[in-house]
């Protein structure tokens, strides 16, 4: 599957909820997850955002401040 850290849908909470709960992308093979609560979707959203920031180097994996950028 696609890397959700780079997905505009996954980075927008309302869009992510629509995909997961309402099945917006069913025709593209993405299943619907009707059993997920809004809190669980918020947690998934936070997790994806945190991993995206780590990949960009703007957040450390331990949640600490970002590493200094070397020029």
């Amino acid at each position: 599957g696609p890397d959700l850290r780079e997905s505009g849908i996954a980075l927008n909470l309302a869009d992510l909820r629509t995909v997961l709960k309402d099945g917006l992308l069913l025709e593209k093979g993405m299943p619907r997850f009707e059993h997920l609560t809004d809190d669980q979707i918020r947690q998934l959203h936070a997790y994806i955002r945190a991993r995206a920031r780590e990949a960009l180097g703007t957040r450390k994996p331990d949640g600490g401040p970002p590493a200094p950028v070397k020029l």
Side-chain angles (χ1 to χ4, degrees):
D3 187 342
L4 294 177
R5 296 173 303 171
E6 298 175 1
S7 169
I9 290 174
L11 296 179
N12 179 291
L13 182 57
D15 291 345
L16 182 61
R17 184 190 184 289
T18 300
V19 168
L20 294 176
K21 290 205 76 150
D22 300 335
L24 179 67
L25 298 177
L26 280 172
E27 70 280 353
K28 294 189 178 200
M30 176 70 182
R32 182 180 313 176
F33 296 91
E34 296 172 294
H35 65 280
L36 292 176
T37 66
D38 286 341
D39 191 49
Q40 288 171 322
I41 293 172
R42 277 191 293 277
Q43 291 172 8
L44 283 168
H45 177 254
Y47 177 82
I48 294 166
R49 297 273 320 245
R51 295 306 164 264
R53 288 190 302 273
E54 284 174 16
L56 291 172
T58 59
R59 179 183 182 273
K60 286 184 155 184
D62 64 4
V69 176
K70 294 181 183 179
L71 299 175

